[in-house]
Amino acid sequence: MAKITSVRGFRDILPDETPKWQRVEEKIREIFFNFGIQEIRTPVLEKTELFKRGIGEATDIVEKEMYTFLDRGNEYLTMRPEATASVIRAYIEHHIYEKDPVAKLFTIGPMFRRERPQKGRFRQFHQINVEFLGQEDPRIDAELMSMLMYLLSEVGLAKLKLEINSLGCDKCRPAFREKVTGFLKNREEDLCEDCRRRLVTNPLRIFDCKNESCQEIISGAPVILDFICVECKQHFEKVKEHLGILHIPFIINTKMVRGLDYYTRTAFEITTQSLGAQNAVTGGGRYDGLVQMLGGPNISGIGFAIGFDRLISMIPDADGQDAKRPNIFIAALGDKAQSFAFSLCNTLRLAGIRAEMDFSNRSLKSQMKRSNKLNCSHTLIIGEKEMEKGAAQLRNMGDGTQESVDINDSDSIVEQFTVKPVTVNREP
RNA sequence: GUGGGUGUAGCUCAGUUGGUUAGAGUGCCUGGUUGUGGCCCAGGAGGUGGGGGGUUCAAGUCCCCUCAUUCACCCCA
């Protein structure tokens, strides 16, 4: 029979890697807890319309990267390419703003975009999203970014670069957009092929172009910060001020624009070296018009997304951080001992002890080897002799010492391996 | 969607200008003690050379097609 392989761009995360994912996720949840951010879980499948309206019809994501299909009910559905639109949809649908004027939400899960896979880019990838809703105060922008920087350093990333910019609002951005378009129209012939196309579809993206000649042209282009309105300007000033208060280093990148249409005012991106071309670990920004655009009240919001896969690939391996719990391997020799061990193994597990055994009834040497390989702290040896005497040999795999234990007194074995519970006082 | 690289054992990879039984390390199994792991030693299993076609007396090696993968562009987290 021919092998069935996974779908292109969809990968398996194997047992070797999952402890790292768990460790990082645990750390992140802990930080979110301290910052008062609650988890929300939304479906992977949404109506296509949600993303068309939320992300923007003319964006690359919507135009050519979404997994969209006509459902049996004659309705277009899409595997979510990002999470913000879904979270806002749920926020509106369940009237979360009625319960509390401010909502701090996070979600973790797979997203889907049909791009050509490469380093740090998969068709199913994972994001950690945070959305702060109902807060227009620039301090929340600073709070969000400082938390993000803290979070990334806590999970082990170094040499992070925070870049910020303001994209203005729907009052001032259109004017700037026109200004830029006008400026670039005059130099259209010198732009690269892609940028000539962008001039029509999304002129602001030309700022991002890596082509040298385009960069040269754009360096003389109007700067958005000179065009944003007084309110946006003040907001941006306050954001910078409060990042300073929290001692968060940042650089202003007036050329940074975002790829999704819903962003307004504050936009930011954090990059590192070690990722190859996909150097963006995380990015985000303010989206004050999005809630309304999706049929809700006029509520402001700001959020970010971390590329979980990229994050994981940059974090050094645990190296013993996944602490070995006391555990035991039962080496049973002979049929009688094997069936006794089968039952004992279960008893130990039910008592909360990680226990393993080998059903093969192989030589003691082989079973010892396996115990060693599994990194067991102890091996309980039960053979014919032990079955007769009712006393097995408990070998410490660290120092090689052995002691005799009563095999019918499983309670005392359990006691030896039980970790003393640590009491945690957590405010309700 | 565009361009380049790479597909040889479970894994990481060698393999000279085409040449006879395709190798190493690691992992796996067994043995070196009547029933004691790690280190060491010995032996063993494991390969349709990604797939298909072609050139040739002869192809893992050269050519074409195809698939997969990877890096970059694009785009983004």
Side-chain angles (χ1 to χ4, degrees), chain A residues 184-291:
Chain A
L184 292 170
K185 267 263 155 67
N186 297 329
R187 295 156 182 80
E188 191 169 350
E189 282 117 55
D190 300 327
L191 289 170
C192 70
E193 202 181 314
D194 288 324
C195 285
R196 281 201 290 265
R197 179 177 49 81
R198 289 188 186 120
L199 201 50
V200 184
T201 59
N202 196 348
L204 297 188
R205 285 229 69 95
I206 297 175
F207 282 97
D208 270 348
C209 186
K210 281 152 192 151
N211 187 303
E212 266 180 46
S213 66
C214 293
Q215 274 301 317
E216 210 166 299
I217 293 168
I218 213 78
S219 65
V223 174
I224 188 159
L225 295 181
D226 296 337
F227 286 82
I228 57 177
C229 61
V230 184
E231 290 81 8
C232 288
K233 188 109 193 155
Q234 278 174 353
H235 186 94
F236 192 53
E237 290 304 316
K238 287 280 181 195
V239 171
K240 290 192 286 184
E241 182 189 330
H242 286 93
L243 279 174
I245 289 171
L246 297 176
H247 307 293
I248 305 297
F250 62 89
I251 49 181
I252 297 167
N253 179 354
T254 58
K255 297 192 183 81
M256 184 183 58
V257 292
R258 309 259 66 225
L260 289 75
D261 282 357
Y262 55 63
Y263 287 112
T264 57
R265 293 193 168 172
T266 312
F268 60 93
E269 206 167 277
I270 297 173
T271 53
T272 65
Q273 283 101 322
S274 55
L275 267 179
Q278 310 304 316
N279 61 353
V281 206
T282 166
R286 189 162 268 287
Y287 44 83
D288 291 338
L290 183 60
V291 179

Side-chain angles (χ1 to χ4, degrees), chain A residues 362-420:
Chain A
R362 294 192 287 180
S363 70
L364 179 58
K365 179 176 178 162
S366 295
Q367 296 196 46
M368 292 296 291
K369 274 189 177 171
R370 181 151 177 79
S371 172
N372 189 60
K373 196 192 165 195
L374 294 176
N375 231 331
C376 296
S377 65
H378 291 76
T379 304
L380 187 69
I381 301 165
I382 311 174
E384 311 270 321
K385 284 188 284 188
E386 285 77 11
M387 287 304 289
E388 276 168 31
K389 282 189 280 185
Q393 292 295 309
L394 182 64
R395 181 180 178 86
N396 181 320
M397 298 299 279
D399 58 23
T401 56
Q402 281 184 200
E403 59 177 309
S404 194
V405 296
D406 186 346
I407 54 172
N408 295 310
D409 184 10
S410 62
D411 285 352
S412 74
I413 300 176
V414 168
E415 206 176 316
Q416 269 198 64
F417 286 93
T418 306
V419 187
K420 309 237 163 15

